[in-house]
Amino acid sequence: MADAVLTAERVAKAFGAHKVLSDVRFRIGTDEIVGLLGPNGSGKSTLLNIVSGFSHSDAGEILFLGNSIAGMPSHKIARQGLVRTFQLPSMPHRMTVREVLCAGSRDGAGLLDAFSGKGGDDAEADELIEQFALAPVAHLPASSLSGGQKKLLSIAVALRTQPKLLCLDEPTAGVHPQLRGRMVELLKAFSKRGVAMLVVEHDMHFIRELCGRCIVLDRGEIIADCAPRELTKNERVVEAYLGKSVARQKVSA
Ligand SMILES: Nc1ncnc2c1ncn2[C@@H]1O[C@H](COP(=O)(O)OP(=O)(O)O)[C@@H](O)[C@H]1O
Ligand SMILES: [Mg+2]
């Protein structure tokens, strides 16, 4: 198995008396795309927040490329190459889509150009604009995009930073169904170039196409860690998340 890009050990989190994560442990290899599934409120976003430094666990350990990142602020974690997108991305009002992408270059040169109004050649930004179907809106304010387009832009911006691990929170929500297939192909291509991924998502077709493995949370506990095709055979997953009718359809499909 490839080296671990991320290891979570005994992670726990509570908000007041409400235990949101209990004894969560898993590893993600550098060559993996792992789905993070579970009913609403099961703790998926909280786990992404903890992994990416936007929240801190009460107990446990998080290792990124073998080094502890527990308690580290999000900007430091991002600089090390662990980048995430949000369920509801917000975008700057005064920058166009292309400027936002230019600003995201790894060396920061694009940021200077964007703020100095130059916005010159940036072949990588233009390639991402094409890949993520953002060409028709490239010169519009990023804040004016639809929810789905903001999702696409936030993923493109995250990939621009050349992360080692990309955490995506519901990447297809609001994205046109025709674009979801393209998103799968793009994400797989980036994975082959060394970007591991942890993907929170409800679209099971998308998950089966994209992910080699899935972790399922229910009420803050991991109830399954298996290949997507195994999910429908797991009674706890069917009971807590998929629902019996869905499981029957998938098995007979
Ligand atoms: N900042 C917070 N304060 C209090 N409760 C929270 C907070 N964030 C999340 N929760 C609670 O934690 C649980 C898990 O939430 P979340 O991680 O957003 O679930 P999911 O992403 O799986 O839908 C929910 O019951 C939610 O209400
Ligand atoms: Mg969530």
Side-chain angles (χ1 to χ4, degrees):
M1 197 184 259
D3 289 343
V5 65
L6 187 77
T7 309
E9 291 169 354
R10 305 180 322 280
V11 171
K13 176 78 177 174
F15 292 106
H18 182 191
K19 282 189 186 173
V20 174
L21 295 172
S22 310
D23 195 26
V24 168
R25 40 182 106 192
F26 61 89
R27 78 186 283 289
I28 298 175
T30 51
D31 59 352
E32 285 194 289
I33 305 180
V34 176
L36 179 56
L37 313 178
N40 289 330
S42 57
K44 305 179 298 295
S45 293
T46 302
L47 185 55
L48 281 203
N49 287 342
I50 289 171
V51 160
S52 56
F54 286 84
S55 175
H56 300 302
S57 63
D58 301 331
E61 183 57 284
I62 312 269
L63 303 174
F64 178 58
L65 295 170
N67 301 311
S68 174
I69 54 166
M72 202 181 269
S74 56
H75 66 275
K76 282 201 178 155
I77 293 176
R79 217 176 293 143
Q80 291 190 17
L82 194 171
V83 175
R84 57 89 52 93
T85 64
F86 288 88
Q87 213 169 322
L88 299 169
S90 58
M91 289 293 162
H93 287 285
R94 292 173 188 277
M95 291 170 84
T96 67
V97 167
R98 188 171 184 280
E99 283 166 348
V100 169
L101 263 171
C102 290
S105 67
R106 182 89 181 135
D107 61 6
L111 188 63
L112 293 176
D113 282 351
F115 284 122
S116 66
K118 282 196 214 157
D121 290 348
D122 189 333
E124 198 179 294
D126 291 330
E127 191 182 351
L128 283 164
I129 285 169
E130 283 300 324
Q131 287 175 325
F132 281 83
L134 292 166
V137 294
H139 296 286
L140 297 180
S143 60
S144 71
L145 298 185
S146 70
Q149 288 169 325
K150 282 182 188 164
K151 277 267 155 75
L152 292 168
L153 178 56
S154 68
I155 297 168
V157 168
L159 285 167
R160 178 102 215 248
T161 66
Q162 301 177 0
K164 294 274 182 253
L165 175 64
L166 175 61
C167 298
L168 301 171
D169 202 350
E170 303 200 11
T172 73
V175 172
H176 194 284
Q178 280 177 350
L179 273 177
R180 295 182 187 190
R182 184 181 330 184
M183 204 193 273
V184 168
E185 296 312 315
L186 277 170
L187 293 175
K188 280 185 172 173
F190 278 95
S191 161
K192 289 208 175 78
R193 281 151 52 182
V195 186
M197 296 180 200
L198 178 62
V199 186
V200 172
E201 179 57 54
H202 290 294
D203 179 338
M204 288 307 295
H205 177 71
F206 183 83
I207 287 288
R208 280 196 304 274
E209 295 289 311
L210 181 66
C211 301
R213 186 156 68 88
C214 292
I215 296 166
V216 186
L217 278 177
D218 182 35
R219 284 169 277 182
E221 286 181 34
I222 293 184
I223 59 167
D225 184 344
C226 61
R229 65 179 175 282
E230 303 292 327
L231 290 172
T232 52
K233 299 176 199 157
N234 184 316
E235 273 186 30
R236 286 188 77 186
V237 175
V238 172
E239 194 73 41
Y241 184 54
L242 293 177
K244 290 196 165 58
S245 59
V246 175
R248 267 199 303 275
Q249 282 167 24
K250 300 292 183 241
V251 169
S252 57

